[in-house]
């Protein structure tokens, strides 16, 4: 296991840190105490935007995100509205954050980060590049994913060696997020980070140290900027299939499977209304159509999950039931969402 080179919790398409890991770890200087699940799974968006006050570093990845300190005392991996992968990637992040909040899946806190012209003038390294060309970041609201602690004292890992998998306190979130990824048509591999923390489980007398997994990087939900659903069987899977060893049937994806199949339309409305209007200028109709398709395809999710087990490279080695045949997405649109 090794810390990421950038010490940041974001990982872009293709994954990072897949080779060359070291297996020894040291105790981080700070280990935050987390309340009992699921109350530690937070979401923050809307309201008065949080303001960037200090640049920390640029990170790897196709969106060219940066790690910034904000005026609320936290650090955020910030993806900019005019990033090279398209502004729709930020829309996907906001939509996903709201849906994941309802499903109570472990993800970082997210926020709208206000970046001022004054901040950009004082921090010339906050920019985008295309070859040798420097592209200025636009002032305004951008998408932020909170780092799990002070980057000077918090070690964050891309992955854990197999010997430490049993110390991950929320392995069930890998099953939960696969339900989500199949529903939203995530065409990226599942991205996750790990960090050490003291965790108090329900009914436990004392907090115990362990590793917490957070599910990150949802920019390629809805097939990224394409805003469609490809539904390849192996899309959205975590690369280390051992996290699915407990899967023996579709029942092992409950309660999240039922929550998606019966997902409330008002939560999708809430997600749509949290997107800043400037991020969807000219895309309003396309976004409504996307969300109508998302709502209509809820019943297909069990079949999409089962299709993973029938594909080459089956991640569910202990699946004990005959997977059902895949069906087709309903052609009936959901009720059109209003403003």
């Amino acid at each position: 296991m090794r810390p990421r080179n950038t010490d940041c919790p974001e990982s872009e398409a293709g994954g990072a840190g897949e080779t060359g890991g070291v297996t020894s770890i040291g105790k981080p200087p700070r280990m935050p105490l987390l309340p009992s699940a699921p109350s530690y799974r937070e979401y923050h968006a809307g309201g008065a935007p949080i303001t960037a006050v200090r640049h920390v570093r640029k990170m790897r990845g196709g969106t060219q995100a940066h790690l910034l300190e904000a005026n609320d005392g936290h650090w955020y991996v910030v993806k900019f509205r005019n990033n090279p992968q398209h502004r729709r990637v930020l829309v996907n992040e906001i939509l996903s954050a709201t849906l994941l909040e309802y499903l109570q899946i472990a993800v970082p806190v997210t926020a709208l980060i206000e970046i001022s012209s004054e901040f950009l003038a004082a921090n010339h390294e906050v920019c985008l590049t295309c070859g040798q060309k420097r592209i200025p970041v636009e002032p305004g609201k951008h998408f932020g994913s909170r780092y799990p602690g002070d980057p000077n004292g918090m070690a964050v890992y891309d992955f854990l060696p197999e010997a430490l998998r049993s110390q991950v306190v929320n392995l069930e979130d890998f099953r939960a997020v696969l339900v989500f990824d199949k529903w939203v048509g995530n065409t990226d591999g599942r991205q996750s980070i790990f960090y050490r923390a003291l965790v108090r489980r329900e009914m436990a007398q004392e907090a115990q140290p362990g590793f917490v997994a957070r599910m990150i990087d949802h920019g390629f939900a809805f097939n990224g900027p394409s805003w469609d659903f490809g539904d390849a069987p192996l899309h959205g899977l975590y690369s280390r299939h051992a996290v699915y060893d407990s899967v023996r049937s579709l029942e092992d994806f409950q309660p999240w499977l039922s929550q998606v199949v019966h997902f409330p339309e008002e939560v999708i409305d809430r997600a749509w209304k949290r997107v800043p209007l400037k991020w969807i200028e000219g895309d309003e109709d396309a976004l409504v159509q996307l969300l109508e398709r998302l709502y209509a395809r809820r019943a297909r999710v069990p079949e999409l999950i089962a299709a993973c087990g029938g594909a080459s490279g089956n991640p569910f080695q202990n699946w004990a039931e005959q997977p059902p045949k895949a069906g087709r997405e309903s052609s009936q649109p959901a009720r059109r969402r209003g403003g």
Side-chain angles (χ1 to χ4, degrees):
M1 177 185 62
R2 67 179 177 85
R4 299 195 52 166
N5 293 339
T6 56
D7 286 332
C8 85
E10 288 293 287
S11 179
E12 302 293 344
E18 294 297 313
T19 58
V22 229
T23 57
S24 61
I25 62 171
K27 181 178 179 181
R30 297 177 60 191
M31 297 177 65
L33 181 64
L34 301 179
S36 301
S39 61
Y40 72 87
R41 295 161 182 166
E42 300 178 74
Y43 173 84
H44 179 88
I50 298 169
T51 303
V53 296
R54 186 172 70 90
H55 177 258
V56 180
R57 62 177 67 92
K58 182 179 180 179
M59 281 86 66
R60 298 172 292 180
T63 59
Q64 300 187 30
H66 286 240
L67 182 61
L68 306 179
E69 185 178 359
N71 63 348
D72 65 346
H74 297 287
W75 291 261
Y76 293 86
V77 176
V78 179
K79 294 183 179 181
F80 305 118
R81 186 173 63 243
N82 58 323
N83 75 85
Q85 290 185 340
H86 203 278
R87 64 180 181 178
R88 285 184 174 183
V89 170
L90 271 65
V91 177
N92 298 346
E93 291 277 13
I94 285 288
L95 295 174
S96 296
T98 307
L99 305 180
L100 289 160
E101 172 194 15
Y102 178 82
L103 295 171
Q104 296 186 335
I105 296 173
V107 293
V109 176
T110 62
L112 300 178
I113 306 298
E114 183 75 33
I115 299 182
S116 67
S117 300
E118 292 76 14
F119 177 84
L120 293 170
N123 294 272
H124 295 284
E125 60 269 61
V126 180
C127 67
L128 303 164
T129 58
C130 181
Q132 299 299 314
K133 184 179 179 181
R134 182 184 187 277
I135 303 171
V137 169
E138 299 173 354
K141 294 183 178 69
H142 303 270
F143 176 81
S145 177
R146 189 190 293 177
Y147 193 85
D150 185 340
N152 294 317
M154 170 68 74
V156 174
Y157 304 92
D158 284 313
F159 68 93
L160 297 179
E162 184 60 24
L164 294 179
R165 179 164 55 94
S166 63
Q167 296 185 32
V168 178
V169 300
N170 61 321
L171 276 176
E172 70 277 3
D173 278 296
F174 284 96
R175 286 178 280 131
V177 80
L178 183 59
V179 175
F180 167 81
D181 285 329
K182 288 302 177 182
W183 181 33
V184 301
N186 182 10
T187 54
D188 195 4
R190 166 44 47 198
Q191 306 295 322
S192 177
I193 57 164
F194 303 86
Y195 60 93
R196 287 168 59 95
L198 293 175
V199 181
R200 183 181 294 117
R201 290 290 203 172
E202 288 188 73
M203 309 302 293
Q205 296 296 318
E206 296 182 354
Q208 299 294 327
F211 287 95
V212 175
R214 297 283 195 198
M215 308 302 154
I216 63 167
D217 195 357
H218 304 103
F220 272 74
F222 318 114
N223 196 15
S226 298
W227 279 7
D228 57 29
F229 301 94
D231 291 339
L234 299 184
H235 280 169
L237 287 165
Y238 187 60
S239 61
R240 285 166 168 75
H241 292 172
V243 299
Y244 307 118
D245 280 354
S246 63
V247 172
R248 287 165 174 77
S249 74
L250 281 176
E251 285 301 308
D252 293 304
F253 293 95
Q254 298 292 4
W256 312 284
L257 200 55
S258 293
Q259 289 173 336
V260 166
V261 170
H262 302 286
F263 204 88
E265 188 176 6
E266 58 267 25
V267 178
I268 300 178
D269 287 339
R270 186 190 315 155
W272 179 71
K273 291 171 183 175
R274 283 175 167 170
V275 180
L277 293 178
K278 193 166 185 178
W279 294 8
I280 56 172
E281 287 179 350
D283 277 340
E284 295 89 347
D285 289 343
L287 180 56
V288 170
Q289 292 168 14
L290 175 71
L291 295 180
E292 286 176 344
R293 290 190 65 193
L294 178 69
Y295 188 73
R297 62 189 262 115
R298 297 170 301 159
R300 288 200 62 212
V301 178
E303 297 166 356
L304 294 172
I305 291 176
C308 296
S312 175
N314 172 21
F316 309 139
Q317 293 299 310
N318 296 317
W319 188 285
E321 66 177 22
Q322 183 67 29
K325 294 181 180 179
R328 300 185 64 183
E329 182 177 335
S330 169
S331 60
Q332 297 300 317
R335 178 173 59 84
R336 187 180 181 89
R337 271 155 284 279

